[in-house]
Amino acid sequence: MSNPRNFAPVGFGWELLKGNALNRLRVAGAEELLGAGGALIDATGRQALSGAPLLLAAQATRAHHTFETVIAAARMGRGVQAAMLNRALLEDVLSIHWTAEHPKQAPDRAEEHDRLIALAEHDLDDKFGRVDRPLTDEEREELQKLIKLYGGARKAFRAPWHRTDTGDCFELVKKRWRDEPDAGPALDYIYEGIQRRNNLFLHSSPTAFRQTIAIDASGKRQLNRVGPDTRWSQSLRQGAGGYYLVCRVLPEEFDLDRQPIVDAFVTTTAYCRSPDEFPDLAALPDDAPCPCGSGRSAGDCHRS
């Protein structure tokens, strides 16, 4: 029997998107931001790391890998899947800010949570006959104490490793931005609006799977099996925001230059703005500054 025709090769969405110069700028800008963040993470390794600094660098590295994957998903036109990853990325923002604010407590809580997971995983594998011994009585007693510490059996494996709720962590993020008056409302929107939508996309729901339905010019509904979805650029922009919020902690905690990542973030998010945001765009001369704020001319940016 012959193999079915591969009608949707991996990455096919980019073949449709890359014909637009603005789309190429969006992806290139995100890659530039990723590079700026990676340079900061590498700079933390100029000293021997342990304790809270090691946790900060490790969390930033996880965020780096996540944003790298967000870029890959968005590049394929998979904005819904990128949004799922952004959900985790925005949780990392809360976690890294908590670590920075609690450098003495963070290493101990990380060790406690690691131990909770290790014991619980061993116990679960034993249930299915996948380990050569059950937990000892001492290990089982330790596991029960840790479960109680993390809120009991119903909550322990859903609780944050640092045992601090989302609201309190979010206040720590806002505290770092208190000198920038426009940041507060933007952060509120990220966690009350964007993150709520990311949660909807993560779970199976009509809101999530409706994103695969396209409506043509005649109003007919059809499945969008291979083409890019309508959210990829928006998800790329939001992922850039989450990654930036993580990496902005590093210059403050490791005494590094933050300007390169600030510049890369501003440029990336400017490219990802929709042309619909600029009603006078069509009337601008090609050599006029693009209203998105990228620093490029309109003809080489949102009119390209």
Side-chain angles (χ1 to χ4, degrees):
M1 184 175 65
S2 62
N3 292 327
R5 181 171 63 91
N6 184 4
F7 73 97
V10 174
F12 178 74
W14 182 240
E15 295 303 312
L16 302 176
L17 292 171
K18 70 180 183 180
N20 182 287
L22 179 59
N23 290 341
R24 297 196 299 271
L25 283 174
R26 287 165 168 166
V27 172
E31 291 173 343
E32 180 182 347
L33 176 62
L34 185 74
L40 282 177
I41 295 168
D42 286 346
T44 67
R46 294 173 187 163
Q47 53 187 277
L49 295 177
S50 61
L54 177 60
L55 288 177
L56 291 170
Q59 289 176 90
T61 301
R62 168 185 153 89
H64 183 86
H65 295 162
T66 302
F67 184 51
E68 181 181 27
T69 314
V70 168
I71 295 172
R75 193 175 184 273
M76 293 189 293
R78 302 292 172 242
V80 172
Q81 283 65 38
M84 297 178 193
L85 293 165
N86 286 342
R87 180 182 185 270
L89 192 54
L90 289 171
E91 288 181 359
D92 285 343
V93 173
L94 302 178
S95 182
I96 198 170
H97 279 77
W98 185 90
T99 302
E101 192 72 15
H102 300 89
K104 294 182 179 179
Q105 295 168 273
D108 289 341
R109 294 201 182 182
E111 290 291 336
E112 287 170 344
H113 195 264
D114 270 345
R115 186 62 175 162
L116 167 70
I117 298 304
L119 291 172
E121 289 294 296
H122 187 113
D123 195 38
L124 181 64
D125 285 342
D126 178 51
K127 176 181 176 180
F128 293 96
R130 295 178 178 271
V131 288
D132 58 3
R133 68 169 183 86
L135 294 177
T136 65
D137 290 343
E138 291 79 7
E139 288 172 331
R140 194 168 299 282
E141 181 180 357
E142 182 184 3
L143 175 59
Q144 292 306 312
K145 287 181 178 178
L146 287 168
I147 288 175
K148 183 178 180 180
L149 181 65
Y150 278 87
R154 294 174 65 92
K155 297 181 179 179
F157 302 105
R158 291 178 290 179
W161 65 269
H162 43 70
R163 306 199 302 274
T164 305
D165 66 32
T166 297
D168 289 342
C169 288
F170 180 53
E171 290 304 315
L172 297 178
V173 180
K174 294 180 75 171
K175 178 181 176 182
R176 292 221 168 203
W177 291 78
R178 61 182 177 270
D179 295 331
E180 299 185 36
D182 294 337
L187 289 168
D188 286 335
Y189 177 67
I190 288 171
Y191 282 92
E192 293 181 27
I194 292 172
Q195 191 68 321
R196 184 176 69 181
R197 295 190 190 106
N198 290 343
N199 290 338
L200 285 171
F201 292 139
L202 176 68
H203 301 292
S204 181
S205 69
T207 301
F209 59 67
R210 194 166 54 234
Q211 306 305 311
T212 64
I213 299 173
I215 302 176
D216 64 21
S218 67
K220 181 181 177 181
R221 294 183 178 185
Q222 56 187 359
L223 292 177
N224 177 15
R225 296 183 180 89
V226 299
D229 63 29
T230 61
R231 306 191 66 89
W232 74 271
S233 178
Q234 186 178 51
S235 291
L236 184 63
R237 180 181 182 181
Q238 292 165 0
Y243 182 63
Y244 174 64
L245 287 170
V246 169
C247 290
R248 258 286 295 264
V249 173
L250 299 181
E252 298 172 5
E253 297 301 317
F254 290 89
D255 193 25
L256 302 171
D257 181 12
R258 75 179 187 183
Q259 198 58 47
I261 196 167
V262 172
D263 294 342
F265 170 69
V266 170
T267 302
T268 301
T269 53
Y271 291 150
C272 287
R273 296 178 69 179
S274 169
D276 294 340
E277 296 180 44
F278 314 112
D280 299 327
L281 183 64
L284 292 175
D286 278 349
D287 59 355
C290 187
C292 74
S294 68
R296 299 175 72 93
S297 66
D300 288 332
C301 194
H302 273 73
R303 281 241 307 272
S304 61

